[in-house]
Amino acid sequence: MSASASRRFAMLPYAAPETRRPLVSFEFFPPKTAEMEERLWAAVKRLEPLAPRFVSVTYGAGGSTRERTHNTVRRILRESSLTPAAHLTCVGATRAEVDEVARAYWDSGVRHIVALRGDSPEGAGRYQPHPGGYPYAVDLVAGLRKIGEFEVSVAAYPETHPDAANPGADLDNLKRKIDAGATRAITQYFFEGHAFLDFLERARKAGITVPIVPGILPVTNFQQVVKFSAACGAAVPPWLARLFDGLDGDPETRRLVAATVAAEQCRLLQANGINEFHFYTLNRADLAYAICHVLGLRPVNAASAAP
Ligand code: FAD
């Protein structure tokens, strides 16, 4: 019997909030318009009372959101009680330019960077390191260590990054990122619990001891997820397609299904000893908030949590 088959897949009873408070973090993307900014800020304020470990802000392909990412991170720092983490990539910039962005973060009080290689902008083909840039995430991690005592998180891939020669090589790459100074890995999203649990087991066997936090994506737009998953190497199981079948014109039901699936996924992981989760929020608070509630998380200040 395989390790994954022998695992206990029973759900745990719903947690009494005081006994098993999960650790969570939330990911946002920098808004493009005033309207999107308003929506993002509403999400930040709604999720704030859940006291996440940190909230992270993504960095657009090719550094295209450099200013917007910085402004969003600074606003979070200034106008909320949350700890922001700024994503930073190697794409399309020299080392000096990337270092300058990192130094600006350090100077404005940001102490957590999610260090990534990034991808080529759409249509630009396969990733090519910038001639004067950091070639891979491992190099960026090492560079950041020279700039400040940042907390550094990196990406991990339960179902293997599409550019990796094989799963072993991908795991070696993760180990190198940790050895270079990263203190946490956050995973690409996945839908089968065993994909994460098997990966975790392999990572521990490979001597990776830092927290490996599952990235949870509540799926509201199934077609978009299918498209994105093909590019990022995440498997979309047939049961997920069946669940969204017939719901194209029914966003309300799609959202309820999304929350149910993601909550079940997290509860399965909880039953297997995982109690820390990173949510890809897409700048919407409602699903992440509901899932956290199911997992046993309650607002630190209940009065401020009213929608
Ligand atoms: P790396 O760790 O550098 O690895 C990428 C691939 O290259 C791996 O297959 C690795 O095995 C291989 N590799 C490593 N070193 C070498 C080498 N020397 N020679 C050949 N191959 C090598 N993208 C964005 O643009 N902005 C974001 O804000 C963003 N946030 C993300 C957050 C999370 C939690 C995750 C999981 C992903 C995020 N991404 C983001 C996507 C990420 O940039 C892509 O998945 C990218 O393709 C790989 O980035 P990485 O940091 O994992 O790369």
Side-chain angles (χ1 to χ4, degrees):
M1 189 184 281
S2 76
S4 59
S6 65
R7 253 188 215 106
R8 193 161 55 94
F9 277 98
M11 299 286 195
L12 292 179
Y14 289 106
E18 63 282 6
T19 57
R20 205 176 50 237
R21 186 182 166 81
L23 296 167
V24 298
S25 50
F26 301 114
E27 184 171 307
F28 302 111
F29 63 86
K32 265 192 189 147
T33 62
E35 193 187 343
M36 286 166 81
E37 167 98 23
E38 213 171 290
R39 194 172 91 187
L40 164 68
W41 206 246
V44 168
K45 284 294 164 186
R46 173 83 170 123
L47 294 168
E48 186 175 17
L50 295 180
R53 268 198 150 174
F54 63 90
V55 293
S56 76
V57 182
T58 61
Y59 199 73
S64 55
T65 67
R66 179 176 161 158
E67 284 306 313
R68 282 188 279 129
T69 299
H70 203 144
N71 292 343
T72 305
V73 167
R74 275 215 311 247
R75 184 169 180 200
I76 290 170
L77 201 57
R78 224 176 31 239
E79 296 179 34
S80 80
S81 60
L82 299 169
T83 302
H87 292 216
L88 189 55
T89 74
C90 309
V91 178
T94 63
R95 285 178 190 236
E97 286 163 345
V98 174
D99 288 356
E100 190 190 316
V101 175
R103 261 189 222 101
Y105 278 127
W106 182 267
D107 292 343
S108 48
V110 177
R111 295 291 178 263
H112 185 170
I113 302 280
V114 182
L116 303 143
R117 184 196 79 178
D119 290 311
S120 304
E122 215 173 328
R126 217 181 141 84
Y127 172 81
Q128 289 293 338
H130 186 284
Y134 289 112
Y136 289 94
V138 62
D139 309 296
L140 175 57
V141 174
L144 289 171
R145 307 304 301 174
K146 292 184 194 147
I147 291 172
E149 286 292 307
F150 284 113
E151 180 177 353
V152 179
S153 297
V154 290
Y157 300 87
E159 295 171 297
T160 307
H161 188 279
D163 293 352
N166 53 59
D170 211 26
L171 203 55
D172 288 346
N173 179 53
L174 177 60
K175 177 94 166 53
R176 281 197 297 275
K177 293 193 281 191
I178 305 304
D179 292 345
T183 50
R184 171 190 296 98
I186 304 171
T187 76
Q188 185 58 276
Y189 66 83
F190 55 90
F191 298 109
E192 300 281 16
H194 65 77
F196 176 83
L197 295 169
D198 290 349
F199 174 72
L200 184 64
E201 199 167 291
R202 287 195 298 116
R204 296 298 182 234
K205 276 191 189 141
I208 297 169
T209 55
V210 300
I212 299 179
V213 182
I216 306 296
L217 176 70
V219 174
T220 46
N221 185 335
F222 180 72
Q223 297 310 335
Q224 209 172 57
V225 165
V226 169
K227 195 173 151 208
F228 191 67
S229 300
C232 75
V236 180
W239 57 259
L240 195 63
R242 281 197 298 277
L243 278 177
F244 284 96
D245 189 30
L247 294 181
D248 284 352
D250 187 352
E252 175 75 19
T253 306
R254 282 209 309 269
R255 298 186 67 69
L256 297 173
V257 172
T260 306
V261 171
E264 281 182 353
Q265 184 184 21
C266 293
R267 280 175 37 73
L268 180 80
L269 295 175
Q270 269 190 329
N272 284 275
I274 312 298
N275 208 25
E276 181 163 3
F277 305 93
H278 180 79
F279 290 95
Y280 296 106
T281 69
L282 306 181
N283 293 4
R284 308 279 307 236
D286 50 357
L287 294 180
Y289 194 94
I291 298 159
C292 288
H293 186 92
V294 170
L295 297 179
L297 200 55
R298 296 293 180 270
V300 170
N301 174 359
S304 64

